[in-house]
Amino acid sequence: MADTGTTAPSARGSPGPSWLCRLWRQVIDLSRVLWVCRLSVLSVVFGAILLGAADQAQDLFFESKGDIWETIVYWALFFVLVFLFWAVPVHYMARAILYFEHWLTACPHGTDAGARENLFNDAKERFAGKVRAVPRALGMAVFPVAAIGPFMALRGQLPSDDAYTQTQLWILIAICLACIPVFHLYARKRRPLIAYFARLFSNVPVARSALPSKGHDSERSPAFIPLRTDAPDRGNRLGLLRRGFAIPIIVLFAVVLTGWIYPLDLAEQLPRALFIPFVLTVPFYFLWLLVYLSHRFCAPITAVTLTLLALLWPQLERLNSPAFRTIHDVREIVRPEPAARLTFDQALSKWKQENGDCLFAREQLFPIELTRLTCPPPIILAIAGGASRSGFYGATVIGEMLDRAYRDLDGKNDPVTQIFAISGVSGGSFAAATFAAAIAASNEMKNGTLSQASNRPVPCTTDAPLWFGSRRTDHSQREGPWRDCLQKLTSGDYLTPVFVGISLRDISSRGWWHDRGALLEKAWERHFTNITNSDAFARPYLSFAPKVGDAAWTPLLFLNGTSVH
């Protein structure tokens, strides 16, 4: 027999593929499954980036209440929200997409029935394990991702002697890791759990619809999705998806609706860390609806929708309509008459008049009265940027300066009149505006907590919940009335309203609503009013400027922002 260069197959059959080929096929299959449930993957990945790279997100895990039980309740609620409104949606978004068979064969509507049956049977054996394991793994991955936040906070600028905060962060990390097997148990036993609670609350329509159909065994989990559209238990399987996802869907829609109508109220009810699960779920859920419909009807609904938006949105932007204005534009306040601004010379003359009708050294020309005072050194403050940290630090410095001046001057002079101007950038501008509003509120008060050796009342009437000094029950240990007051006024929750704006309102750059910048401004105003019972911060900034007919001097404000191109 001539040698043809080939080897005849043995009686036992040809050898199977090598282990490397089998491994590569598993990688390809896993990549395919992950691509189908890509929005669940993106939710987990985005959470890892947010908690691992954003200092503001990591700082949320430092929070502790004055009472230990309040702290326990707060963080227990955090883990409940992470479980129900991040891990569960991630799991079910992946399961619902993988439920439809069209991702396996590129929509084989015209394929011969026998060939399609063979194709589906092959896919059933090939992907069964991954279709079950991948959604569970993504749901469990939420909790080690959540642990990134407190872990990175431990590596941050934490004082080495702060044992209480270190212990809290380690406990949060341990609970995150302990939730992994808990979620795995839930994923395996969710059907009997859902059926149990549905029977327990059978009077509620949503719960009643979650009851399994007659003759359906909810205790058993199928090895794979029904691959035939006429499968007898397809309706039961859809019911399993509906009842497993119904309550999170309802709550997510309620959160979105509340965030659109009452964003600041939502920020107060779900403050800081409690809003993280919704930031990582809501945007991806609306995209998931498009992907879900695309798989459900085997049509490029996602691509068509995004293409139409890309084509139509520029046309809508050309409409000069208030309904489609740019939400990031600076809002203008219409005043009945324009505010009269002082010139620099007028401001300098008024400042000298309020400081004893003084003269500067270069103005002391003979003959002058020896009893006439020279001007005290004018104080000009410059506060650099740095977000809320700069605002808090700048307010602390101003408050400490006032308290020391009132203590040292023994009531002979008001140090506020010695401040000629304050210039701030970004967070420093917030400190300057807060100080100006506090002085305006103080001028309007008839009584209040008096500074030492001063007749100027401190406008703060209550403690701020997030101010660290509120934990001091002994008021004698507090620093000074003005330092404490200005710290309270810059210790509000200004992060959650921004999260609400980014995740719910700023998805579109045009509309009739306000963006996150306006929400931040409203949060400043609300917090100032809660602490002082005054609306001074809600007034136009020009109302803080000194005027010719004013009885008291008010420092000039130079408010600057940062612009990155």
Side-chain angles (χ1 to χ4, degrees):
M1 180 182 292
D3 187 5
T4 60
T6 60
T7 303
S10 62
R12 296 183 180 180
S14 59
S18 64
W19 67 269
L20 186 59
C21 292
R22 293 194 301 270
L23 176 62
W24 180 247
R25 183 174 181 178
Q26 293 294 326
V27 172
I28 295 297
D29 291 348
L30 179 60
S31 302
R32 187 174 180 180
V33 172
L34 291 174
W35 170 251
V36 173
C37 50
R38 54 192 174 274
L39 291 177
S40 295
V41 175
L42 286 176
S43 178
V44 175
V45 171
F46 180 72
I49 295 174
L50 176 67
L51 297 176
D55 294 338
Q56 293 83 353
Q58 297 163 14
D59 290 347
L60 297 177
F61 295 92
F62 289 121
E63 181 169 349
S64 61
K65 309 295 182 180
D67 181 70
I68 183 63
W69 291 109
E70 291 183 8
T71 303
I72 293 175
V73 170
Y74 177 84
W75 287 112
L77 182 57
F78 167 77
F79 285 107
V80 170
L81 294 177
V82 168
F83 192 100
L84 292 179
F85 303 111
W86 188 13
V88 169
V90 162
H91 174 256
Y92 274 100
M93 282 192 295
R95 277 191 61 85
I97 291 295
L98 293 173
Y99 177 85
F100 295 103
E101 64 270 16
H102 301 313
W103 62 273
L104 294 170
T105 57
C107 303
H109 289 310
T111 309
D112 178 75
R116 188 172 68 178
E117 186 72 20
N118 293 333
L119 185 62
F120 284 165
N121 288 334
D122 179 67
K124 178 177 180 179
E125 179 181 356
R126 180 176 174 182
F127 288 97
K130 297 179 181 63
V131 166
R132 177 184 294 178
V134 168
R136 294 180 182 179
L138 290 173
M140 290 187 293
V142 163
F143 299 101
V145 167
I148 294 177
F151 177 76
M152 295 301 294
L154 275 172
R155 299 184 59 186
Q157 297 180 357
L158 183 66
S160 58
D161 58 344
D162 192 353
Y164 180 87
T165 303
Q166 290 181 1
T167 302
Q168 173 179 305
L169 294 175
W170 280 116
I171 291 175
L172 293 178
I173 294 173
I175 296 176
C176 287
L177 300 180
C179 286
I180 298 176
V182 174
F183 186 85
H184 182 262
L185 180 64
Y186 155 79
R188 295 187 59 185
K189 302 296 182 181
R190 64 188 181 280
R191 290 184 176 86
L193 285 174
I194 293 172
Y196 170 77
F197 285 106
R199 294 187 182 94
L200 190 63
F201 301 99
S202 58
N203 294 329
V204 182
V206 175
R208 187 165 56 249
S209 66
L211 289 171
S213 304
K214 184 177 181 180
H216 176 68
D217 185 7
S218 62
E219 298 289 339
R220 301 183 59 187
S221 177
F224 189 50
I225 56 178
L227 293 177
R228 293 175 54 188
T229 56
D230 58 346
D233 63 343
R234 188 179 183 88
N236 292 331
R237 306 285 176 79
L238 284 171
L240 289 175
L241 289 173
R242 282 198 299 268
R243 64 175 174 265
F245 209 17
I247 295 178
I249 285 178
I250 293 173
V251 174
L252 286 176
F253 270 110
V255 169
V256 171
L257 186 61
T258 305
W260 271 88
I261 302 175
Y262 305 108
L264 295 180
D265 295 326
L266 177 65
E268 288 185 353
Q269 298 302 319
L270 296 173
R272 298 170 296 285
L274 301 187
F275 195 71
I276 289 179
F278 300 97
V279 172
L280 300 174
T281 301
V282 170
F284 295 102
Y285 175 71
F286 287 103
L287 291 174
W288 172 83
L289 285 177
L290 295 177
V291 177
Y292 180 92
L293 293 174
S294 299
H295 284 280
R296 176 67 180 85
F297 296 103
C298 194
I301 296 177
T302 304
V304 171
T305 302
L306 296 179
T307 301
L308 288 177
L309 287 176
L311 294 176
L312 295 178
W313 200 254
Q315 307 303 322
L316 294 176
E317 289 185 344
R318 293 191 179 96
L319 297 177
N320 190 17
S321 171
F324 290 98
R325 64 175 179 82
T326 302
I327 63 174
H328 303 303
D329 286 347
V330 176
R331 295 181 297 114
E332 297 180 354
I333 298 178
V334 179
R335 297 174 58 90
E337 57 183 17
R341 300 189 183 185
L342 295 178
T343 64
F344 183 81
D345 290 338
Q346 290 175 332
L348 186 59
S349 298
K350 184 171 180 57
W351 180 86
K352 292 192 295 182
Q353 179 182 356
E354 294 298 327
N355 284 273
D357 199 15
C358 62
L359 292 174
F360 286 115
R362 64 182 179 85
E363 298 175 314
Q364 295 180 10
L365 302 177
F366 291 99
I368 62 172
E369 298 180 7
L370 297 179
T371 57
R372 197 165 192 178
L373 300 176
T374 58
C375 291
I379 299 175
I380 300 178
L381 300 175
I383 309 175
S388 58
R389 293 178 175 87
S390 175
F392 184 84
Y393 182 75
T396 300
V397 171
I398 297 176
E400 179 69 17
M401 182 182 67
L402 293 182
D403 288 329
R404 291 190 180 187
Y406 283 130
R407 201 163 45 237
D408 297 340
L409 292 176
D410 195 21
K412 295 179 181 179
N413 194 13
D414 188 354
V416 174
T417 62
Q418 193 174 342
I419 302 176
F420 180 72
I422 304 177
S423 176
V425 179
S426 188
S429 295
F430 172 58
T434 300
F435 169 70
I439 294 301
S442 175
N443 292 336
E444 297 169 358
M445 294 181 65
K446 296 182 180 179
N447 50 40
T449 304
L450 300 182
S451 297
Q452 299 178 14
S454 169
N455 58 359
R456 178 181 292 279
V458 177
C460 298
T461 59
T462 184
D463 277 348
L466 297 181
W467 179 52
F468 72 97
S470 61
R471 303 178 187 175
R472 301 172 183 169
T473 56
D474 186 2
H475 288 253
S476 63
Q477 296 181 357
R478 298 191 175 184
E479 301 295 338
W482 273 102
R483 173 173 172 170
D484 289 351
C485 180
L486 293 179
Q487 284 183 344
K488 295 173 188 177
L489 295 177
T490 52
S491 296
D493 178 15
Y494 309 127
L495 192 61
T496 309
V498 174
F499 276 168
V500 173
I502 290 175
S503 58
L504 302 182
R505 287 185 159 217
D506 288 7
I507 296 177
S508 170
S509 62
R510 285 186 174 266
W512 62 90
W513 55 89
H514 297 311
D515 69 341
R516 61 184 182 274
L519 294 182
L520 178 61
E521 178 184 340
K522 295 298 182 182
W524 290 339
E525 296 172 2
R526 176 177 288 198
H527 179 71
F528 188 94
T529 301
N530 291 338
I531 302 301
T532 63
N533 292 324
S534 170
D535 64 345
F537 203 94
R539 302 170 191 168
Y541 287 147
L542 286 179
S543 64
F544 302 145
K547 301 176 180 61
V548 176
D550 286 351
W553 166 256
T554 305
L556 298 177
L557 294 183
F558 296 88
L559 305 181
N560 307 278
T562 55
S563 179
V564 180
H565 297 281

